[in-house]
């Protein structure tokens, strides 16, 4: 698994998890989805993502994301 695929997996799990929690527990869980979306927009402009930096530090290889 590469960093690019791992970050897609992590973001997908967080968004689906918060959507399910908002449906079955509390609507306040949608804040997690909103914050994740805002972070994705910010990361696309700055290139800074703590999760990506962590995945690189644990040794996952980086390749072109959608080549």
């Amino acid at each position: 698994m590469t960093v690019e695929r791992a970050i897609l997996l992590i973001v997908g799990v967080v968004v689906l998890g918060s959507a399910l929690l908002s449906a079955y527990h509390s609507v306040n869980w949608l804040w997690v989805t909103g914050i994740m979306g805002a972070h994705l927009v910010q990361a696309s402009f700055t290139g800074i993502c703590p999760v990506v930096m962590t995945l690189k530090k644990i040794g996952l290889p980086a390749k072109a994301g959608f080549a």
Side-chain angles (χ1 to χ4, degrees):
M1 178 167 287
T2 63
V3 170
E4 292 76 16
R5 291 190 184 268
I7 197 67
L8 291 173
L9 176 64
I10 291 167
V11 170
V13 167
V14 170
V15 169
L16 285 174
S18 67
L20 287 171
L21 283 167
S22 71
Y24 293 110
H25 186 265
S26 170
V27 177
N28 288 327
W29 281 102
L30 288 176
W31 283 99
V32 175
T33 304
I35 291 168
M36 183 64 67
H39 174 68
L40 288 171
V41 171
Q42 171 267 323
S44 72
F45 286 111
T46 64
I48 298 170
C49 179
V51 177
V52 170
M53 289 187 269
T54 303
L55 292 172
K56 286 181 180 178
K57 282 184 182 179
I58 64 171
L60 282 181
K63 293 183 181 177
F66 296 101

